[in-house]
Amino acid sequence: MSKMLKSLVIAAAGSAVLAAPAIAADKVRLVNSTKVVFETEHPYTALEEGIFKKHNLDVSVIHGSGGAASLQAVLTGSQDIVWGNGVLGVLSAYAKGAPVRILGSNIRGVPDLYWYVKTDSPIKSFKDLKAGQEFAYSRPGSTTNLAAIYIKEALKLPAKLTSVGGPSGSRTQLMSGQVATGWSVFPLNKNLLREGKIRIIGTGKEAAGLNGVTIRVIAANVNWLNKNRDVAKRMMTAFKEARAMTYTSEKRLKSYAKRWKLNFADVKSAPQDTPAEVTTILPVAGLDKINQIALESKKIKKLLTAAQLKELVHPMGDRKSTRLNSSHRCIS
């Protein structure tokens, strides 16, 4: 072959490589069920820091209007994965035959919840609550309702559980004297703490019966999941990397503050307010307890069997390599 012909062949080959279409990234529709809460920032980290792109994922992120609506979007197939949904709702939907599986845990226990009073209140701790005084929670069946029940029972409090709505409604009712306590989630209302207008009387850590129990989860439509196991595995890898970055990057904390119009002084301690050890994606823990709670709260008509609880947590990838934790199936 002449030198000229060889050069033409090499040039043509190079042009063919350059002209070859890039492999399209896999599209995933993600609904973030909760706003502002610290762990809801991890998907944004993955999106804005190129972590999804690194794993050849084209992810859209939208916000749902609460857990029930967000989960419904996944059940109907209009979204593929929901981030941060209450585990009680997911378990209840599964029990009714809904096409949903849990991929991982967002948080175990409720350490990011706290209860507070006005600074001039005589109430110094949960134990100071008296009969007739309002022990605030958001809405019936909510995580705050569950936590308040466990705290009330653990400490044998005579106070009455009172629904006050979300953090802003709770704050308004407390500051206007309508209720004795308010509730919030870190870092919301920390400006009032800095300004000395409110004082914390206890946190969700005192709901000892929920410590170590998965409360919010990552879940997916099972029909989508069974067709996209490799995509789901890459999503979970991206989530893990993003979570690690959110916890260790001041840049990400500043983005978090800017996104929700929070004072950076109030979010600097977010990694401590929501400890990293309870937000690892594995294990999904305590489903037996959630199963019992679902029955007692009439979310389900009968307890799920051990086989159903095992199926609820989806094993992605090679089934043979999937590990089990002490009681529930986890992602390998």
Side-chain angles (χ1 to χ4, degrees), residues 240-276:
K240 290 176 186 176
E241 292 179 11
R243 173 187 165 279
M245 183 179 289
T246 307
Y247 267 93
T248 57
S249 168
E250 184 174 289
K251 174 188 174 185
R252 293 312 311 169
L253 289 179
K254 288 180 177 178
S255 295
Y256 172 44
K258 183 178 180 181
R259 189 181 322 286
W260 303 116
K261 297 179 174 59
L262 300 169
N263 190 310
F264 182 61
D266 297 333
V267 306
K268 284 194 297 185
S269 62
Q272 290 75 49
D273 294 333
T274 307

Side-chain angles (χ1 to χ4, degrees), residues 16-315:
V17 170
L18 290 173
I23 298 173
D26 293 297
K27 293 184 180 295
V28 182
R29 299 165 300 176
L30 176 70
V31 54
N32 209 339
S33 70
T34 308
K35 297 180 180 180
V36 186
V37 178
F38 183 52
E39 72 259 23
T40 64
E41 188 64 13
H42 308 330
Y44 284 114
T45 295
L47 190 66
E48 295 169 2
E49 298 296 335
I51 296 174
F52 284 140
K53 185 176 180 181
K54 168 187 167 184
H55 292 284
N56 200 35
L57 297 166
D58 179 8
V59 181
S60 62
V61 181
I62 65 168
H63 267 288
S65 54
S70 301
L71 179 59
Q72 188 61 28
V74 167
L75 301 184
T76 59
S78 63
Q79 297 294 306
D80 304 315
I81 297 177
V82 59
W83 175 276
N85 213 99
V87 66
L88 190 61
V90 175
L91 183 145
S92 302
Y94 168 84
K96 296 170 185 173
V100 65
R101 298 291 186 272
I102 293 172
L103 302 181
S105 178
N106 279 130
I107 192 167
R108 295 182 298 281
V110 286
D112 55 342
L113 293 179
Y114 69 92
W115 281 259
Y116 62 92
V117 295
K118 290 193 286 186
T119 50
D120 60 357
S121 170
I123 301 169
K124 305 296 182 184
S125 72
F126 285 137
K127 292 182 179 180
D128 293 327
L129 287 169
K130 298 177 181 178
Q133 289 185 312
E134 298 84 5
F135 187 6
Y137 69 91
S138 58
R139 296 174 182 84
S142 65
T143 298
T144 55
N145 187 195
L146 186 60
I149 290 170
Y150 269 79
I151 293 169
K152 178 177 167 67
E153 291 179 353
L155 301 179
K156 296 180 173 56
L157 303 179
K160 63 179 180 179
L161 296 178
T162 304
S163 174
V164 295
S168 59
S170 176
R171 180 181 63 244
T172 298
Q173 292 179 62
L174 174 83
M175 300 307 283
S176 62
Q178 298 175 58
V179 293
T181 66
W183 78 272
S184 192
V185 58
F186 292 117
L188 289 180
N189 292 324
K190 287 189 75 174
N191 60 310
L192 299 180
L193 286 169
R194 282 191 294 104
E195 295 164 5
K197 295 179 180 179
I198 62 173
R199 176 167 34 79
I200 293 176
I201 61 169
T203 72
K205 293 178 182 177
E206 294 188 61
L210 297 178
N211 290 342
V213 176
T214 289
I215 298 298
R216 292 192 289 274
V217 296
I218 309 159
N221 181 293
V222 73
N223 299 318
W224 173 87
L225 186 56
N226 287 338
K227 296 175 183 177
N228 296 278
R229 291 164 71 93
D230 179 67
V231 176
K233 286 184 72 173
R234 282 184 276 130
M235 283 291 290
M236 298 304 283
T237 299
F239 285 149
K240 290 176 186 176
E241 292 179 11
R243 173 187 165 279
M245 183 179 289
T246 307
Y247 267 93
T248 57
S249 168
E250 184 174 289
K251 174 188 174 185
R252 293 312 311 169
L253 289 179
K254 288 180 177 178
S255 295
Y256 172 44
K258 183 178 180 181
R259 189 181 322 286
W260 303 116
K261 297 179 174 59
L262 300 169
N263 190 310
F264 182 61
D266 297 333
V267 306
K268 284 194 297 185
S269 62
Q272 290 75 49
D273 294 333
T274 307
E277 60 267 22
V278 301
T279 65
T280 53
I281 290 175
L282 294 180
V284 176
L287 286 187
D288 289 334
K289 178 163 284 188
I290 296 299
N291 194 22
Q292 188 64 46
I293 291 169
L295 181 67
E296 291 171 358
S297 59
K298 299 182 180 179
K299 296 288 185 181
I300 57 176
K301 294 181 179 180
K302 63 179 181 179
L303 289 173
L304 297 185
T305 66
Q308 288 175 311
L309 290 177
K310 187 176 181 181
E311 181 182 60
L312 179 56
V313 182
H314 196 280

